[in-house]
């Protein structure tokens, strides 16, 4: 009986973690999205590190998996505005675009 109870607790914990990941996104993928958007802003858009106030990675479970992770960016010149940057990952290629 103890083993069955223990297995049920393990399954509930694992299920809870999976549900949380489904609703809120994978933490490492959120950090990856943040880094991808940061690299895009610096390397492709020509922003300087000082120009960027905040990059807030986000996740949507209603999006297709390749589009589920994106970011909102606040810039120094307009701190009240959050700019949406989409992130698409296909076949090891990451595409960032401002929407």
């Amino acid at each position: 009986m103890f083993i069955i109870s223990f297995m049920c607790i393990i399954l509930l914990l694992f299920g809870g973690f999976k549900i949380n990941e489904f609703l809120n996104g994978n933490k490492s993928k959120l950090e990856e999205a943040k880094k991808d958007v940061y690299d895009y802003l610096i390397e492709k858009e020509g922003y300087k590190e000082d120009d960027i106030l905040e990059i807030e990675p986000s996740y949507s479970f209603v999006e297709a998996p390749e589009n589920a992770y994106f970011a909102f960016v606040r810039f120094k010149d307009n701190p009240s505005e959050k700019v949406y940057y989409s992130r698409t990952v296909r076949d090891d290629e990451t595409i960032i675009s401002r929407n």
Side-chain angles (χ1 to χ4, degrees):
M1 186 68 176
F2 173 75
I3 292 175
I4 293 172
S5 297
F6 181 75
M7 292 296 288
C8 287
I9 290 171
I10 296 298
L11 287 173
L12 284 172
L13 286 173
F14 181 74
F17 287 123
K18 282 303 191 185
I19 289 170
N20 182 52
E21 185 176 304
F22 173 75
L23 294 175
N24 299 312
N26 179 295
K27 290 187 187 292
S28 65
K29 288 185 179 182
L30 285 164
E31 285 303 312
E32 187 179 308
K34 182 177 182 176
K35 182 188 178 313
D36 287 345
V37 169
Y38 175 82
D39 291 346
Y40 172 81
L41 293 171
I42 300 296
E43 296 169 11
K44 302 276 197 246
E45 293 287 316
Y47 285 100
K48 295 185 177 16
E49 190 172 341
D50 294 358
D51 297 332
I52 303 166
L53 289 179
E54 176 186 30
I55 300 175
E56 178 186 332
S58 196
Y59 167 80
S60 173
F61 63 86
V62 296
E63 294 288 339
E66 66 269 9
N67 298 329
Y69 293 89
F70 49 91
F72 294 99
V73 180
R74 286 189 322 120
F75 294 100
K76 192 177 200 176
D77 63 347
N78 192 358
S80 62
E81 178 185 17
K82 286 186 174 182
V83 181
Y84 174 82
Y85 282 85
S86 65
R87 176 178 174 267
T88 303
V89 179
R90 286 192 201 124
D91 302 325
D92 294 331
E93 179 185 14
T94 301
I95 302 164
I96 308 291
S97 61
R98 181 178 178 158
N99 295 357

